[in-house]
Amino acid sequence: MLTQMTAGAPGPSVGRWWNWLVRSRAWIGILLLLPFGFAAVFSPPHSPEGSWGDIGLDIPGWLLFMVGAALRWWATLYIGGRKSTSVITEGPYSICRNPLYLGTFLMLMGFSFYLESLTFAAGCVVAAVFYLSVTVSAEETRLRQHFGQPFVDYCRTVPRFWPRFRLFRSTPEIVVSVRGLRSEAYRAARWIWLPLLGEIVAQCRTEAWFPRWFHMP
């Protein structure tokens, strides 16, 4: 439906609304996630800090974060600086059309393990569904118009989000864009602090002075 709004011509008012939605998608996604995060942070932790239960939740949190970060870097090696010049169909893009977004989603879900919160995990899903519905729909419409049939054929064979590993293929060597790696390094400077922030918040929640206004799972 979102794609049809973009590709079709339902009217200038819808076009203006859609353009505003695309430009504001990041802030709207944050606003959707904010109440879930607020409820999670100000609810008591399920396991004391340093307990086996806490360690058992930290491990999958770190694993999700590292897998998500590795997926983003892997995807950047293939697509960095070349997104608008060709249809990338190899490496991570041979198993999933949006590995960069998948990597970000995995890292964010890892944060829910640091918080020990199903509430925050649900918020991540809500925010991700909204953000990806808008972003991927707009991007795929633009790429379809730019590349035509090759991109249409690519969309027919490769899943949009969840990887299909049996489709994997890649050349023995690839040309890496330094500019693309530099851009990803700047982005990494924004998300690399997530595990540290998660541990700080988890420690604060165990302190007697920290407010507990909710009792969310």
Side-chain angles (χ1 to χ4, degrees), residues 87-149:
V87 180
I88 308 299
T89 61
E90 297 182 335
Y93 288 90
S94 67
I95 61 176
C96 169
R97 300 204 308 262
N98 296 280
L100 285 169
Y101 294 138
L102 177 58
T104 302
F105 176 73
L106 292 177
M107 289 190 293
L108 193 58
M109 288 299 290
F111 195 73
S112 65
F113 281 88
Y114 303 137
L115 293 181
E116 304 178 11
S117 174
L118 290 174
T119 299
F120 188 78
C124 290
V125 173
V126 170
V129 167
F130 164 78
Y131 183 86
L132 292 174
S133 296
V134 175
T135 303
V136 174
S137 179
E139 286 187 355
E140 290 189 348
T141 297
R142 177 177 57 82
L143 293 172
R144 191 178 297 109
Q145 293 171 347
H146 185 68
F147 294 113
Q149 194 60 40

Side-chain angles (χ1 to χ4, degrees), residues 9-81:
S13 60
V14 175
R16 287 194 296 269
W17 173 83
W18 172 253
N19 290 333
W20 174 84
L21 197 63
V22 172
R23 291 195 305 270
S24 308
R25 64 192 186 278
W27 288 110
I28 296 175
I30 292 173
L31 290 175
L32 288 173
L33 182 59
L34 196 59
F36 293 91
F38 190 83
V41 168
F42 293 103
S43 293
H46 296 285
S47 302
E49 188 69 12
S51 66
W52 284 111
D54 174 63
I55 295 172
L57 290 171
D58 279 352
I59 290 174
W62 276 101
L63 287 175
L64 282 174
F65 180 83
M66 290 188 292
V67 169
L71 184 56
R72 284 197 59 91
W73 281 106
W74 185 30
T76 300
L77 293 176
Y78 282 81
I79 203 171

